[in-house]
Amino acid sequence: MTEPAPAPNRPYVPLWCKSNYSFLEGASHPEEVVDACRQKGIPALALTDRHGVYGMVRAHVRARQQGIHLIAGAQISLREGAEILLLVRDEEGYRNLCRLLTDGHLRSSKGKCSLNGQAVCGCSRGLLALWIGPLDPRASPEAAFEPLLGQFKAAFEDRLYILLARHRRAEEILPEIQLRKLARRFSLPTVAAVEILYHVPERRRLQDVLTCIREGATLTTAGRLIRPNDQHALKSPEELARLFNDDPESVRRTLEVAARCSFSLQELRYRYPLESLPEGKTSSQHLRDRTFEGAARRLGKKFHGLIPQLRKELDLIRELEYEGYFLTMHEIVEYCRRRHILCQGRGSAANSAVCFALGITSVDPTQVDLLFERFLSRERAEPPDIDLDIEHDRREEVIRHVYEKYGRDRAAMVANVVRYRRRSAIREVGKVLGVAATSLDRLAKLVSHDHCNAEFIRQAGLDPRNPALLHLTSLVEEIQDFPRHLSIHPGGFLLGHRPVHDLVPIENASMPGRTVIQWDKEDVDQAGLFKVDLLGLGALTHLHLCFDLLQRHRQRELSLATMPKGDPSTFEMICRSDTVGVFQIESRAQMAMLGRLKPRNYYDLVIEISIVRPGPITGGMVHPYLRRRNGQEEVQYPHPSLIPVLKKTLGIPLFQEQVMQLAMVAADYSPGEADQLRRDMAAWRRSGRIERHRQRLVTRMVAKGIQPEFAERVFQQIRGFGEYGFPESHAASFAHIAYATAYLKCHYPAEFVCALLNAQPMGFYSAATIVNDARIHGIEVRPVSILDSHWDCSLVEIEGAPEESTQFAVRMGLRYVKGLGREDWRRLAEAARQAPFRNLPDLARRSRLHQDKLEALAEAGAFECLGLDRRGALWQIQGLTTEPRPLLPLAGRDPLPRFPALSGLETILWDHRASSHSSRAHLLKPLRPALKAQGLPTARQLNRMPNGRLVRYAGMVICRQRPGTAGGVTFMTLEDETGFVNLVIWKQTFERYSLLAKTLSCMGVTGNLQVAEGVTHLVVRKIWKPELEKGSLHLKSRDFH
Amino acid sequence: MDRVGAIPRSAADRTGCINIRALPLQLLLRRHPEWKQRPVAVVEQEKPQSPLLWVNAPAGRAGIRSGMRYASALSLDRDLCAGTVSEREIREAVRQVHQLLNRFSPRVEPCEDEPGIFWADAGGLDKLYGTLEAWARQIDLHLSRLEFSASIVIGFSRFGSYALAKAERLVTVLPSPEAEQAQSRRVSLLHLQLDPRLRDRLEKLAIHTLEDLLGLSEAGIQRHLGEQARDLYRLASGELSRPLQPQSIPQPLRSRMDLNEPDPNAQRLLFRIKQLLDPLLRAAAERYQAAAALQLQLRLENGTRHHQRIQPARPTLEVSVLLDLVRLRLERVSLCAPLLELRLEVEAVGVSAETRNLLQRNPRRNTEAALQALARVRAEFGPDSVLSARLKPGHLPEARWEWRPLHGLTPATPRPGPIRPLVRRAHARPKPLDRKRPPGLEPLLGYLISGGWWNREVRRDYRFVNTDRREVLWVYYDPQGRRWYSQGRVE
């Protein structure tokens, strides 16, 4: 806390201040307003955001640092047409304010709050009310509000004031006279105020812009929607005294009001909800019992080795009174288990043996050396953060369970504050400035994360001297990080032992039935509240589906827990980079790394997952690690004391935890300081925070005998990590799922593919690539068929298949037919259950499917099983609707014309158009003779060629990427019927061929092969359009994600 | 579909089809000639998500296709220029081309479904131009002078020539009906304007050309592909034909009187105007139109010209009403020389027969009388003499209202406000005060207006001040110009 500012001669307290958390109204961050108070020597501040306490936590944290007394409050627009301020006196008042706001929000649609005077008067205890008056004094004279004011007087008694606000507006002169009359009539004291919308007058421009965004107007058409002057900045005490020189008593009374409001957010007493406990047991005992039972069950004999760690953790949990939180997580996990929903904890929780024992995480603490302090520390005294991954298509069930168990008043989802970023700012601010929408679109597409300045405007082909664009550049920078509106956090829940709306107001989210609190994740952390994160993960759905298929078709019971460990053939497959569909290690970059890192065990997978991240890449850690791993470089440590920290990664820090440990061991950071270092690394947007640690780290390391240049290098590595450093605990959780999916791909490829197709959308690759990969692995994939396909893809036993080969083929499901919905499938299935379909008219009549749906099925070839080719089926379908349906099914009366049969290529193209994949063949298969005639190799042939060879190659583009860490290099993956080819395109080459590079689906490239450590890349020199059979080879690729 | 045609009964019948390809795109390029070498697209609206309706060849080479969103197209080529073309522009262009074609053929029919397609009767014109090709080239030449590029096909039927004009890019003269039939059947269906859904269906069934379509049975087509495909079949097979339906361009209601002897008598002018007006109003009535305004042009012996526009309160066919207004206007005009030529044009607007009858009755209501009175004021003092003040949502006093022409009258419904406002008289423009400080005593009340930072920043510190003469002045200080201004006074 800083020293208090010197007291001014004529102090006052701003009682009406709206930060930018009064969305699209206030034009300063809460922290800026607090800082400005400190600078002007103002001792206290009331934050009264409109209908909420959205910015209260941030203001509270900053006010504590600055020694400012923060008064909690809110501005309320009453349904009767008047405005009031409510200020919190004590805890009861805060509770009443939150309840009131919750009530107003929940009875309204998202973002709105509807309250009347009666509701406010009903929650008056612990609150002060400051009467502002009618919204439009000309439309509603003050006299009309006399009954309402009387009601307020009765409810608030001596806690009601008349607020006199002056902004040197022509329109406020007469209303003030009216307000003074009312004050006299009701014997109410008056207080002086300015409606503060920004901390400095320079923000007035931004406030005008925000108003226009809110009202959907432009500056030139906004008229009186925007304020007439810049008198809404925070006034110094002298300025306010001058403004109210005729009424010093009202100014003085602001101090009296502030003195009556003694509440601070620190007073919030939050306890985590207690689970129902067995009779006679405390929560601590119950948690201990559950933990030891679980540890014994999961670890068997190894359990005893873990007892000291479990005791240590349980003692700390008891000391911090966090038992309820762990029991809740355990209850949710148990619920998932009962419902056969796969779930797994991730994040720092994987550092905890208790979490493992309770079944929350799957990382065996006896296998991996984890840092418990990263998860929970006495010094930090912050609630632990457990993220629980749940099968993505069943997460909703778990969320419903939480709502049902805790009730809507004790469980609410955490908000996600949507903030302005450059792109959104350009679009919205530019529109307000009247810049043409098409120009804005161009600017928004070109803008980088770093800047929006005159040079950028010039690069975009626009005139930087244009005044509107000049304003745009500065305003876009100013509006950065401004909150725009609330949305919902993907899975964060706030649970409370008492109603959540006593802690923070709850409002409706846009999703029906979903409610959200007014604070985001950071606010919840800062306020010391417990959050439960329930996140959806597609890979768990994939695993579950695969386990089900194994059980159904092979009677093999398999689960994450019973998965055979350390399977050599699985790791062989991983080393071959044969990982399409394998969780976390399937991307182009991961595949390239697999060939170099060659993981041989579980911990190698943990490293593999962590190393292909921007942190280690930009920190320059990848190559040294690989050289050391391959024995090309000696393993060195900066200091002997760091050997325990860095040994497992050969002297190179790869994980976030290592950075923390490094700071603790080498620079004597306390666990709390180390955690702060982690947070500062994460706060990359507020650049500079990491620099605070430089001197401390380097000095202390040098003092411990580490060479200064080495200390500096370590710091540079830490800085390079930025937010991208991956926690080991996180990687350890993911590696578990990665191994499981790899094992299934290796041993049960048909089940793996079938489950993966049914779990879509997820992962890195499209269905077309997954199907092609399956084909390459010898799995038969059968096309959709109206008689044989289900909604999902299914396994079909191959008759007469030898035992040692794949025994199942995959039958594509009707879910892959574009335009067909699950309800259509239900109709079809219902009709088919009654009697088999005899022909197409029979099917159409009994299923009552719309013509569009029938055509979609026809185009996908689903009627071929009825002896109808696609064109014939289309012709029949188009004839079905032009005549009334016969009472009895009749065969078509006109003969079926003979349409040309589809060629092989056409068939595949139709497949792609109708179902985004082809089970027949890869698109390039029928074109291979033509490609071969041009001397073009297949991917398989190319990947066997030697380093340096100049080659020409053509393939389908499946992925275009330009990572921010690659210095403008673009990576692409091309695919053909035999596999992938990875391209590296330097910036100049990409720019030279940018049109072809961005638009071609089937791309031809010329370049040199770069083969290193068994990994092949084609470094592109030229891009060209292959000469192919006429017809569009246009497929959707995964571009620049 | 009205692109009806078949093999004509007589081989002497020749029909030319003129296709101004992608007319909206050509209009956009005519408006922006500097874009000719650049990728250009016509968009539905000036919005990023607006679809592209037409694209030129450079845009096509960049991979930009019609139907794409502007935003997507822009990501393919940052130089893409785009603009909208209004219905009105298209209508005007069609009228212009129609007028031009009428110079080459008395019988021209513009296609209503597809602006840019025209049929012209070319029968016998080879005699006049030497050959039909020469005739077509003349049209092509004149169209290029209007900066239009077109394909022209001279065939024997409306549909045959149309289909080929859509597919061809040059001037083509077909030698025989059989040649037209043979060539038109090879035309790809993609060239014809078909419902996109039908075109897609035909494409899927491998029906690519008219010949492919004719390979199916008419009944089958009707049952499986619908009415539009059936009509196309019948057009292509020659079963359905419709003769050319030439349209004439409506002539303006205009009349002129040349005086053999310059007439110095202004009194007689009114009678001369009546002579011209009577037949024009009759012609308007026959078109179910009424006079919304009169354009009067006088040429005097000394070469000077007078132009007057006289607008009645409502569109009318009453000669007396119009002449009364003309008289009032002419009374304000002094002719400095004898009259040499008189031109009169009636601006007519369409009215229903019922309305037309009403127009000819005498108005009874007072509002009507008031409107007539205002029309007379307008006639006497000019069109800007009748204005009304409208409130505007601005902050500056001069931005709080504006004067707009008064076109109609609605009964006033005044509502008393809670506070009777003081009346302030504002100067048309703020007047700078000579002295540095405003005259008078201490300021009574003040307020501040600042804004306009996005354009021209304004800051005015307003005060109401008492003067020595007990007037309350409304003044402000401009800190940028460092001087005081008088905005007005308070009554």
Side-chain angles (χ1 to χ4, degrees), chain A residues 330-353:
Chain A
H330 177 59
E331 194 281 330
I332 293 172
V333 168
E334 284 299 310
Y335 170 81
C336 292
R337 197 151 293 148
R338 282 197 305 276
R339 294 294 180 118
H340 304 289
I341 300 170
L342 278 191
C343 68
Q344 182 182 284
R346 66 150 117 150
S348 61
N351 281 301
S352 159

PDB file of all heavy atoms in Angstrom, chain A residues 330-353:
ATOM      1  N   HIS A 330     -14.566 -34.055  -6.087  1.00  0.00           N
ATOM      2  CA  HIS A 330     -14.673 -35.511  -6.010  1.00  0.00           C
ATOM      3  C   HIS A 330     -16.117 -35.940  -6.347  1.00  0.00           C
ATOM      4  O   HIS A 330     -16.330 -36.905  -7.083  1.00  0.00           O
ATOM      5  CB  HIS A 330     -14.296 -35.946  -4.588  1.00  0.00           C
ATOM      6  CG  HIS A 330     -14.442 -37.412  -4.350  1.00  0.00           C
ATOM      7  ND1 HIS A 330     -13.769 -38.343  -5.094  1.00  0.00           N
ATOM      8  CD2 HIS A 330     -15.190 -38.105  -3.458  1.00  0.00           C
ATOM      9  CE1 HIS A 330     -14.089 -39.547  -4.680  1.00  0.00           C
ATOM     10  NE2 HIS A 330     -14.953 -39.433  -3.682  1.00  0.00           N
ATOM     11  N   GLU A 331     -17.073 -35.183  -5.834  1.00  0.00           N
ATOM     12  CA  GLU A 331     -18.474 -35.527  -6.094  1.00  0.00           C
ATOM     13  C   GLU A 331     -18.787 -35.432  -7.587  1.00  0.00           C
ATOM     14  O   GLU A 331     -19.458 -36.297  -8.149  1.00  0.00           O
ATOM     15  CB  GLU A 331     -19.372 -34.564  -5.290  1.00  0.00           C
ATOM     16  CG  GLU A 331     -20.814 -35.002  -5.183  1.00  0.00           C
ATOM     17  CD  GLU A 331     -21.637 -34.710  -6.426  1.00  0.00           C
ATOM     18  OE1 GLU A 331     -21.338 -33.735  -7.128  1.00  0.00           O
ATOM     19  OE2 GLU A 331     -22.559 -35.478  -6.725  1.00  0.00           O
ATOM     20  N   ILE A 332     -18.260 -34.383  -8.230  1.00  0.00           N
ATOM     21  CA  ILE A 332     -18.523 -34.225  -9.669  1.00  0.00           C
ATOM     22  C   ILE A 332     -17.887 -35.370 -10.454  1.00  0.00           C
ATOM     23  O   ILE A 332     -18.494 -35.948 -11.360  1.00  0.00           O
ATOM     24  CB  ILE A 332     -17.999 -32.850 -10.166  1.00  0.00           C
ATOM     25  CG1 ILE A 332     -18.815 -31.716  -9.529  1.00  0.00           C
ATOM     26  CG2 ILE A 332     -18.075 -32.743 -11.687  1.00  0.00           C
ATOM     27  CD1 ILE A 332     -18.277 -30.326  -9.781  1.00  0.00           C
ATOM     28  N   VAL A 333     -16.666 -35.712 -10.060  1.00  0.00           N
ATOM     29  CA  VAL A 333     -15.982 -36.819 -10.739  1.00  0.00           C
ATOM     30  C   VAL A 333     -16.757 -38.122 -10.528  1.00  0.00           C
ATOM     31  O   VAL A 333     -16.927 -38.922 -11.459  1.00  0.00           O
ATOM     32  CB  VAL A 333     -14.527 -36.927 -10.210  1.00  0.00           C
ATOM     33  CG1 VAL A 333     -13.881 -38.222 -10.663  1.00  0.00           C
ATOM     34  CG2 VAL A 333     -13.712 -35.736 -10.683  1.00  0.00           C
ATOM     35  N   GLU A 334     -17.244 -38.307  -9.306  1.00  0.00           N
ATOM     36  CA  GLU A 334     -18.025 -39.519  -9.028  1.00  0.00           C
ATOM     37  C   GLU A 334     -19.311 -39.534  -9.839  1.00  0.00           C
ATOM     38  O   GLU A 334     -19.736 -40.574 -10.332  1.00  0.00           O
ATOM     39  CB  GLU A 334     -18.358 -39.593  -7.519  1.00  0.00           C
ATOM     40  CG  GLU A 334     -17.181 -40.030  -6.670  1.00  0.00           C
ATOM     41  CD  GLU A 334     -16.700 -41.427  -7.050  1.00  0.00           C
ATOM     42  OE1 GLU A 334     -17.526 -42.352  -7.139  1.00  0.00           O
ATOM     43  OE2 GLU A 334     -15.487 -41.589  -7.288  1.00  0.00           O
ATOM     44  N   TYR A 335     -19.921 -38.362  -9.963  1.00  0.00           N
ATOM     45  CA  TYR A 335     -21.134 -38.275 -10.791  1.00  0.00           C
ATOM     46  C   TYR A 335     -20.818 -38.710 -12.222  1.00  0.00           C
ATOM     47  O   TYR A 335     -21.555 -39.500 -12.822  1.00  0.00           O
ATOM     48  CB  TYR A 335     -21.671 -36.834 -10.773  1.00  0.00           C
ATOM     49  CG  TYR A 335     -22.764 -36.606 -11.781  1.00  0.00           C
ATOM     50  CD1 TYR A 335     -24.074 -36.981 -11.499  1.00  0.00           C
ATOM     51  CD2 TYR A 335     -22.486 -36.057 -13.029  1.00  0.00           C
ATOM     52  CE1 TYR A 335     -25.079 -36.807 -12.434  1.00  0.00           C
ATOM     53  CE2 TYR A 335     -23.476 -35.882 -13.966  1.00  0.00           C
ATOM     54  CZ  TYR A 335     -24.780 -36.252 -13.665  1.00  0.00           C
ATOM     55  OH  TYR A 335     -25.767 -36.084 -14.602  1.00  0.00           O
ATOM     56  N   CYS A 336     -19.715 -38.182 -12.743  1.00  0.00           N
ATOM     57  CA  CYS A 336     -19.320 -38.549 -14.108  1.00  0.00           C
ATOM     58  C   CYS A 336     -19.109 -40.054 -14.206  1.00  0.00           C
ATOM     59  O   CYS A 336     -19.508 -40.707 -15.175  1.00  0.00           O
ATOM     60  CB  CYS A 336     -18.042 -37.821 -14.511  1.00  0.00           C
ATOM     61  SG  CYS A 336     -18.256 -36.054 -14.705  1.00  0.00           S
ATOM     62  N   ARG A 337     -18.460 -40.581 -13.185  1.00  0.00           N
ATOM     63  CA  ARG A 337     -18.169 -42.016 -13.206  1.00  0.00           C
ATOM     64  C   ARG A 337     -19.477 -42.821 -13.193  1.00  0.00           C
ATOM     65  O   ARG A 337     -19.623 -43.782 -13.949  1.00  0.00           O
ATOM     66  CB  ARG A 337     -17.306 -42.347 -11.980  1.00  0.00           C
ATOM     67  CG  ARG A 337     -16.604 -43.657 -12.077  1.00  0.00           C
ATOM     68  CD  ARG A 337     -15.308 -43.625 -11.289  1.00  0.00           C
ATOM     69  NE  ARG A 337     -14.351 -42.716 -11.895  1.00  0.00           N
ATOM     70  CZ  ARG A 337     -13.451 -42.017 -11.211  1.00  0.00           C
ATOM     71  NH1 ARG A 337     -13.394 -42.100  -9.912  1.00  0.00           N
ATOM     72  NH2 ARG A 337     -12.605 -41.227 -11.842  1.00  0.00           N
ATOM     73  N   ARG A 338     -20.401 -42.395 -12.336  1.00  0.00           N
ATOM     74  CA  ARG A 338     -21.678 -43.120 -12.265  1.00  0.00           C
ATOM     75  C   ARG A 338     -22.401 -43.070 -13.605  1.00  0.00           C
ATOM     76  O   ARG A 338     -23.041 -44.008 -14.016  1.00  0.00           O
ATOM     77  CB  ARG A 338     -22.582 -42.483 -11.195  1.00  0.00           C
ATOM     78  CG  ARG A 338     -22.226 -42.862  -9.774  1.00  0.00           C
ATOM     79  CD  ARG A 338     -23.374 -42.551  -8.827  1.00  0.00           C
ATOM     80  NE  ARG A 338     -23.819 -41.179  -8.875  1.00  0.00           N
ATOM     81  CZ  ARG A 338     -23.267 -40.163  -8.208  1.00  0.00           C
ATOM     82  NH1 ARG A 338     -22.219 -40.381  -7.436  1.00  0.00           N
ATOM     83  NH2 ARG A 338     -23.746 -38.931  -8.302  1.00  0.00           N
ATOM     84  N   ARG A 339     -22.280 -41.919 -14.269  1.00  0.00           N
ATOM     85  CA  ARG A 339     -22.970 -41.740 -15.554  1.00  0.00           C
ATOM     86  C   ARG A 339     -22.141 -42.186 -16.736  1.00  0.00           C
ATOM     87  O   ARG A 339     -22.503 -41.911 -17.881  1.00  0.00           O
ATOM     88  CB  ARG A 339     -23.322 -40.258 -15.743  1.00  0.00           C
ATOM     89  CG  ARG A 339     -24.325 -39.725 -14.763  1.00  0.00           C
ATOM     90  CD  ARG A 339     -25.647 -40.419 -15.000  1.00  0.00           C
ATOM     91  NE  ARG A 339     -26.660 -39.954 -14.101  1.00  0.00           N
ATOM     92  CZ  ARG A 339     -27.772 -39.345 -14.507  1.00  0.00           C
ATOM     93  NH1 ARG A 339     -27.974 -39.122 -15.779  1.00  0.00           N
ATOM     94  NH2 ARG A 339     -28.674 -38.985 -13.625  1.00  0.00           N
ATOM     95  N   HIS A 340     -21.001 -42.797 -16.461  1.00  0.00           N
ATOM     96  CA  HIS A 340     -20.092 -43.236 -17.536  1.00  0.00           C
ATOM     97  C   HIS A 340     -19.692 -42.072 -18.442  1.00  0.00           C
ATOM     98  O   HIS A 340     -19.688 -42.182 -19.661  1.00  0.00           O
ATOM     99  CB  HIS A 340     -20.728 -44.360 -18.366  1.00  0.00           C
ATOM    100  CG  HIS A 340     -21.141 -45.519 -17.537  1.00  0.00           C
ATOM    101  ND1 HIS A 340     -20.243 -46.385 -16.943  1.00  0.00           N
ATOM    102  CD2 HIS A 340     -22.363 -45.934 -17.128  1.00  0.00           C
ATOM    103  CE1 HIS A 340     -20.889 -47.284 -16.233  1.00  0.00           C
ATOM    104  NE2 HIS A 340     -22.184 -47.022 -16.323  1.00  0.00           N
ATOM    105  N   ILE A 341     -19.390 -40.967 -17.809  1.00  0.00           N
ATOM    106  CA  ILE A 341     -18.884 -39.816 -18.563  1.00  0.00           C
ATOM    107  C   ILE A 341     -17.389 -39.731 -18.277  1.00  0.00           C
ATOM    108  O   ILE A 341     -16.995 -39.651 -17.110  1.00  0.00           O
ATOM    109  CB  ILE A 341     -19.584 -38.507 -18.113  1.00  0.00           C
ATOM    110  CG1 ILE A 341     -21.085 -38.612 -18.341  1.00  0.00           C
ATOM    111  CG2 ILE A 341     -19.001 -37.304 -18.842  1.00  0.00           C
ATOM    112  CD1 ILE A 341     -21.889 -37.465 -17.714  1.00  0.00           C
ATOM    113  N   LEU A 342     -16.584 -39.775 -19.310  1.00  0.00           N
ATOM    114  CA  LEU A 342     -15.146 -39.693 -19.086  1.00  0.00           C
ATOM    115  C   LEU A 342     -14.768 -38.289 -18.658  1.00  0.00           C
ATOM    116  O   LEU A 342     -15.234 -37.310 -19.252  1.00  0.00           O
ATOM    117  CB  LEU A 342     -14.379 -40.035 -20.358  1.00  0.00           C
ATOM    118  CG  LEU A 342     -14.159 -41.500 -20.693  1.00  0.00           C
ATOM    119  CD1 LEU A 342     -13.164 -41.614 -21.841  1.00  0.00           C
ATOM    120  CD2 LEU A 342     -13.641 -42.276 -19.496  1.00  0.00           C
ATOM    121  N   CYS A 343     -13.941 -38.175 -17.647  1.00  0.00           N
ATOM    122  CA  CYS A 343     -13.466 -36.861 -17.235  1.00  0.00           C
ATOM    123  C   CYS A 343     -12.060 -37.012 -16.679  1.00  0.00           C
ATOM    124  O   CYS A 343     -11.644 -38.097 -16.271  1.00  0.00           O
ATOM    125  CB  CYS A 343     -14.395 -36.243 -16.196  1.00  0.00           C
ATOM    126  SG  CYS A 343     -14.377 -37.094 -14.633  1.00  0.00           S
ATOM    127  N   GLN A 344     -11.338 -35.918 -16.698  1.00  0.00           N
ATOM    128  CA  GLN A 344      -9.986 -35.938 -16.159  1.00  0.00           C
ATOM    129  C   GLN A 344      -9.572 -34.525 -15.797  1.00  0.00           C
ATOM    130  O   GLN A 344      -9.749 -33.608 -16.595  1.00  0.00           O
ATOM    131  CB  GLN A 344      -9.019 -36.512 -17.196  1.00  0.00           C
ATOM    132  CG  GLN A 344      -7.602 -36.591 -16.664  1.00  0.00           C
ATOM    133  CD  GLN A 344      -6.618 -37.105 -17.693  1.00  0.00           C
ATOM    134  OE1 GLN A 344      -6.571 -38.293 -17.972  1.00  0.00           O
ATOM    135  NE2 GLN A 344      -5.845 -36.207 -18.263  1.00  0.00           N
ATOM    136  N   GLY A 345      -9.027 -34.373 -14.610  1.00  0.00           N
ATOM    137  CA  GLY A 345      -8.544 -33.055 -14.195  1.00  0.00           C
ATOM    138  C   GLY A 345      -7.268 -32.717 -14.924  1.00  0.00           C
ATOM    139  O   GLY A 345      -6.493 -33.585 -15.296  1.00  0.00           O
ATOM    140  N   ARG A 346      -7.077 -31.450 -15.152  1.00  0.00           N
ATOM    141  CA  ARG A 346      -5.824 -31.013 -15.776  1.00  0.00           C
ATOM    142  C   ARG A 346      -5.332 -29.759 -15.070  1.00  0.00           C
ATOM    143  O   ARG A 346      -5.907 -29.351 -14.077  1.00  0.00           O
ATOM    144  CB  ARG A 346      -6.038 -30.749 -17.249  1.00  0.00           C
ATOM    145  CG  ARG A 346      -6.960 -29.589 -17.504  1.00  0.00           C
ATOM    146  CD  ARG A 346      -6.601 -28.896 -18.792  1.00  0.00           C
ATOM    147  NE  ARG A 346      -7.671 -28.971 -19.754  1.00  0.00           N
ATOM    148  CZ  ARG A 346      -7.879 -28.014 -20.670  1.00  0.00           C
ATOM    149  NH1 ARG A 346      -7.102 -26.978 -20.729  1.00  0.00           N
ATOM    150  NH2 ARG A 346      -8.863 -28.127 -21.514  1.00  0.00           N
ATOM    151  N   GLY A 347      -4.314 -29.185 -15.600  1.00  0.00           N
ATOM    152  CA  GLY A 347      -3.791 -27.957 -15.006  1.00  0.00           C
ATOM    153  C   GLY A 347      -3.013 -28.264 -13.752  1.00  0.00           C
ATOM    154  O   GLY A 347      -2.549 -29.397 -13.531  1.00  0.00           O
ATOM    155  N   SER A 348      -2.901 -27.288 -12.886  1.00  0.00           N
ATOM    156  CA  SER A 348      -2.020 -27.425 -11.733  1.00  0.00           C
ATOM    157  C   SER A 348      -2.496 -28.510 -10.773  1.00  0.00           C
ATOM    158  O   SER A 348      -1.723 -29.014  -9.974  1.00  0.00           O
ATOM    159  CB  SER A 348      -1.928 -26.094 -11.003  1.00  0.00           C
ATOM    160  OG  SER A 348      -3.205 -25.714 -10.548  1.00  0.00           O
ATOM    161  N   ALA A 349      -3.762 -28.888 -10.859  1.00  0.00           N
ATOM    162  CA  ALA A 349      -4.286 -29.937  -9.970  1.00  0.00           C
ATOM    163  C   ALA A 349      -3.526 -31.238 -10.154  1.00  0.00           C
ATOM    164  O   ALA A 349      -3.447 -32.056  -9.227  1.00  0.00           O
ATOM    165  CB  ALA A 349      -5.761 -30.165 -10.242  1.00  0.00           C
ATOM    166  N   ALA A 350      -2.961 -31.418 -11.344  1.00  0.00           N
ATOM    167  CA  ALA A 350      -2.221 -32.651 -11.589  1.00  0.00           C
ATOM    168  C   ALA A 350      -0.944 -32.701 -10.761  1.00  0.00           C
ATOM    169  O   ALA A 350      -0.238 -33.699 -10.747  1.00  0.00           O
ATOM    170  CB  ALA A 350      -1.904 -32.782 -13.073  1.00  0.00           C
ATOM    171  N   ASN A 351      -0.641 -31.615 -10.067  1.00  0.00           N
ATOM    172  CA  ASN A 351       0.503 -31.609  -9.161  1.00  0.00           C
ATOM    173  C   ASN A 351       0.137 -32.198  -7.806  1.00  0.00           C
ATOM    174  O   ASN A 351       0.984 -32.247  -6.915  1.00  0.00           O
ATOM    175  CB  ASN A 351       0.975 -30.163  -8.930  1.00  0.00           C
ATOM    176  CG  ASN A 351       1.807 -29.647 -10.092  1.00  0.00           C
ATOM    177  OD1 ASN A 351       2.834 -30.224 -10.411  1.00  0.00           O
ATOM    178  ND2 ASN A 351       1.347 -28.592 -10.723  1.00  0.00           N
ATOM    179  N   SER A 352      -1.103 -32.561  -7.640  1.00  0.00           N
ATOM    180  CA  SER A 352      -1.549 -32.957  -6.311  1.00  0.00           C
ATOM    181  C   SER A 352      -1.821 -34.464  -6.228  1.00  0.00           C
ATOM    182  O   SER A 352      -2.551 -35.026  -7.051  1.00  0.00           O
ATOM    183  CB  SER A 352      -2.829 -32.186  -5.978  1.00  0.00           C
ATOM    184  OG  SER A 352      -3.546 -32.832  -4.972  1.00  0.00           O
ATOM    185  N   ALA A 353      -1.230 -35.072  -5.207  1.00  0.00           N
ATOM    186  CA  ALA A 353      -1.475 -36.501  -4.990  1.00  0.00           C
ATOM    187  C   ALA A 353      -2.898 -36.732  -4.500  1.00  0.00           C
ATOM    188  O   ALA A 353      -3.514 -37.755  -4.802  1.00  0.00           O
ATOM    189  CB  ALA A 353      -0.473 -37.035  -3.972  1.00  0.00           C
TER     190      ALA A 353
END
